[in-house]
Amino acid sequence: MPTYYQILGVAEDALSDEIKAAFKKQALKFHPDRNQGDPAMEELFKELNSAYQTLSNPYTRHRYDMTLKFGSFELPPQPTTPPPPRYYRRPRRPIFHRPSLTSRENLMATMYAFLFAFVVGLFIKIGIWATDYYKAIEREKLLTERREVFGMAQSAFKKGELRESLLIIDEMGMFFESEMDMREYKDMLLGNILIRADQCMEDKLYKKALSLYSILDNFPNGNSLNILLNKAEANKQLGNFQRAIDIYHQLFYIGYRNTSFYIELGGLYENGPKDYESALQYYEKATDMAVSEYEAVFGKAYPVMINANFIPKHHFQLFTKLANMYYLTGDFERGIKSTIWSKEIWPDSAANYIISGQCHQALGETDLACQDFNIAKNLDASFQSPLDCP
C-alpha cells in the first residue's frame, strides 16, 4: 500500500510548501469535476486529500512518521489531574536612595544640560538650513533643465511636429506651481491636435485624421465618444472595416448603445466581411429599440397611428436593411413580412418592393414577385426586373 508521501509524490523530508504545491498539482489532476464524476478518480482524490490533511499538520505528520518507522506509535497518556499550583514569591525591590546635591552642584548641572541642548539644537538648525539650501539649488537646476525641455517642445510644435512636441511635454510629468504656463501649453496642444483632426474629418481627409487622433490615444480625451465615432467612420471610409468593428465593440463595452449604433455596426458587418448573420443580429437589435421608442410614444397600436413624418429618416434604412438581410440569409418569409409595414409607411420606396419581389421569386411565387417588381419599376424607372413580367 503506498504511503501518503508516495500518494502526493514527495520525499519524506519534504517541506510544508513542497507538500502544499504537490497537493494542488495532484488535486487539479484527480478532481472529480475534471473527470466527469469518475468513481475511481473520486477515490484517488479522497486518498490525496487524506494524505494532505495528515502531512500538512506538523503534529499529525510526526505521528504518521513514527507509525511508518515503528509500525505503531502511541503517545504516553496525559495526566488527567492538574499539577498543584506553584507560588511565586516576588523578590523585594532594592531601596534606592537619591543622592543629595548642593545648590551649586544643582545649578551647574542645569547649566550643562542647557548648554548641551543648545548645542544640539544649533547643529540641527544648521543641518536643516544646509539641507534646504541644497534642495533650493537642486530645484533651481531642475527648473532650468525643464525650461530647456519645454523650449524643445515649443520648437517641435512650430515645425509642425505635433506628436513629437506632445511626447516631449508629456514626459515632463506633473508641473510645479511655477510651471502653470507649461500645463496650459500642453492643454492648448491637445486641443489644437483635436481641432485639426476634426477638420480633417470634415474635409474627408480620413487617413490624416486617423494619424492625428492616434496622437491622443494615451491621453484622457483620446478615447472620448466623439473621437471613437470619428475613428470608426474614418476606418470605414478607408475600407478598414474590421478596425471600425473593433472600435464599435469598444463603444459597446463603455455603454454606448442606441439605434444608430446598431445600424452602423450591422452595416459594417454587411459591407465589410459580408457576415450577413452578424449584420442581421444587429439590425434586429436596432429594430427592437426603434419599436420600443414607438410604443413609448404611441403605445401598442403604433403600427396604425404613425406615418413617415413621425419616423426618423435612418429608420427607413434600418427596416430596408433588415428585410434585405432576411433575403440574403435565406429567410424569405420573414423578409416578405418585414416589408409589409414598410410599404405602408413609405409607399414611394422602390427598395421594399424589390426585396419583397426577390423573396417571392426565391419561394417560387412568380405572380406575387411580378406584382412587386412592376410597382418597383413604376417607382424607379432604372430598375430592371429579373423576371419577364407582363
Side-chain angles (χ1 to χ4, degrees):
M1 180 177 180
T3 66
Y4 285 166
Y5 292 103
Q6 293 172 340
I7 292 173
L8 288 174
V10 297
E12 294 187 3
D13 58 349
L15 300 177
S16 59
D17 290 342
E18 295 177 304
I19 292 174
K20 184 176 182 181
F23 171 71
K24 288 184 177 181
K25 180 179 179 181
Q26 297 281 34
L28 289 175
K29 180 179 179 182
F30 297 108
H31 198 281
D33 293 343
R34 296 174 63 95
N35 295 280
Q36 284 76 38
D38 186 350
M41 291 297 179
E42 185 174 353
E43 288 300 321
L44 287 175
F45 182 76
K46 289 180 179 179
E47 291 182 5
L48 185 68
N49 187 56
S50 178
Y52 176 68
Q53 294 298 327
T54 299
L55 299 184
S56 61
N57 186 298
Y59 176 75
T60 56
R61 181 181 178 181
H62 176 70
R63 294 197 59 176
Y64 181 73
D65 289 343
M66 295 299 289
T67 301
L68 287 179
K69 187 174 181 180
F70 299 107
S72 63
F73 175 75
E74 292 293 336
L75 290 175
Q78 300 295 324
T80 57
T81 305
R86 298 178 61 184
Y87 297 98
Y88 173 73
R89 176 170 292 180
R90 183 175 182 180
R92 295 183 61 182
R93 180 180 299 174
I95 300 175
F96 175 75
H97 299 281
R98 183 183 299 275
S100 59
L101 299 174
T102 64
S103 58
R104 179 180 176 81
E105 290 173 336
N106 189 41
L107 177 61
M108 290 299 293
T110 303
M111 291 178 62
Y112 283 133
F114 175 77
L115 181 61
F116 176 78
F118 174 77
V119 172
V120 172
L122 181 61
F123 273 109
I124 293 175
K125 191 71 175 178
I126 293 173
I128 293 174
W129 175 83
T131 302
D132 291 343
Y133 179 74
Y134 175 77
K135 287 183 177 179
I137 294 176
E138 290 296 317
R139 179 184 177 89
E140 190 64 29
K141 180 181 178 181
L142 176 62
L143 291 175
T144 302
E145 293 175 351
R146 288 171 64 84
R147 280 289 166 185
E148 294 176 357
V149 175
F150 179 53
M152 295 170 58
Q154 291 176 308
S155 177
F157 176 71
K158 290 178 182 178
K159 295 177 183 178
E161 300 172 352
L162 302 182
R163 186 186 299 273
E164 182 66 19
S165 177
L166 185 58
L167 179 62
I168 291 173
I169 200 169
D170 184 59
E171 288 181 347
M172 296 177 69
M174 301 293 294
F175 298 103
F176 298 106
E177 291 185 5
S178 59
E179 297 178 336
M180 289 300 100
D181 58 320
M182 297 185 189
R183 187 174 68 177
E184 293 173 358
Y185 186 85
K186 180 179 179 180
D187 293 339
M188 179 278 296
L189 187 57
L190 288 169
N192 185 278
I193 294 172
L194 181 58
I195 291 173
R196 293 190 185 191
D198 290 343
Q199 185 61 49
C200 287
M201 285 296 298
E202 293 183 10
D203 298 338
K204 298 183 180 180
L205 303 174
Y206 301 115
K207 190 173 182 179
K208 187 174 181 180
L210 285 175
S211 178
L212 290 169
Y213 283 134
S214 68
I215 299 175
L216 306 175
D217 284 344
N218 296 324
F219 295 90
N221 63 338
N223 289 313
S224 65
L225 177 61
N226 183 64
I227 289 179
L228 289 175
L229 287 173
N230 284 346
K231 288 168 72 174
E233 178 63 21
N235 277 288
K236 182 180 76 171
Q237 295 298 332
L238 292 172
N240 303 326
F241 292 101
Q242 188 56 54
R243 177 56 185 151
I245 289 172
D246 292 341
I247 294 174
Y248 265 91
H249 286 167
Q250 184 179 352
L251 288 167
F252 177 85
Y253 288 122
I254 64 176
Y256 178 71
R257 305 165 195 175
N258 54 32
T259 306
S260 298
F261 168 82
Y262 287 119
I263 293 174
E264 285 294 327
L265 188 52
L268 290 171
Y269 276 104
E270 176 185 357
N271 300 312
K274 306 298 182 182
D275 185 352
Y276 298 135
E277 293 291 342
S278 296
L280 175 60
Q281 175 185 353
Y282 289 113
Y283 287 147
E284 287 179 334
K285 289 183 178 181
T287 302
D288 292 340
M289 295 188 73
V291 170
S292 297
E293 295 173 7
Y294 303 156
E295 291 181 349
V297 177
F298 301 100
K300 294 292 184 180
Y302 74 88
V304 297
M305 297 183 63
I306 61 176
N307 54 49
N309 296 325
F310 296 104
I311 301 178
K313 185 177 180 180
H314 64 278
H315 283 200
F316 164 73
Q317 299 174 347
L318 166 61
F319 292 115
T320 303
K321 287 176 177 291
L322 177 67
N324 191 45
M325 283 303 102
Y326 283 132
Y327 168 69
L328 292 175
T329 55
D331 196 345
F332 306 120
E333 293 183 356
R334 293 187 70 179
I336 294 171
K337 290 180 181 178
S338 63
T339 61
I340 295 175
W341 187 65
S342 298
K343 291 176 183 177
E344 296 178 0
I345 301 297
W346 298 283
D348 297 331
S349 170
N352 284 294
Y353 288 100
I354 293 173
I355 296 171
S356 178
Q358 290 173 328
C359 291
H360 281 301
Q361 181 183 2
L363 292 171
E365 300 168 348
T366 306
D367 293 341
L368 295 176
C370 282
Q371 291 180 16
D372 286 327
F373 288 149
N374 288 334
I375 297 174
K377 182 67 175 179
N378 293 332
L379 295 173
D380 183 2
S382 64
F383 170 68
Q384 297 295 326
S385 174
L387 295 176
D388 186 13
C389 297

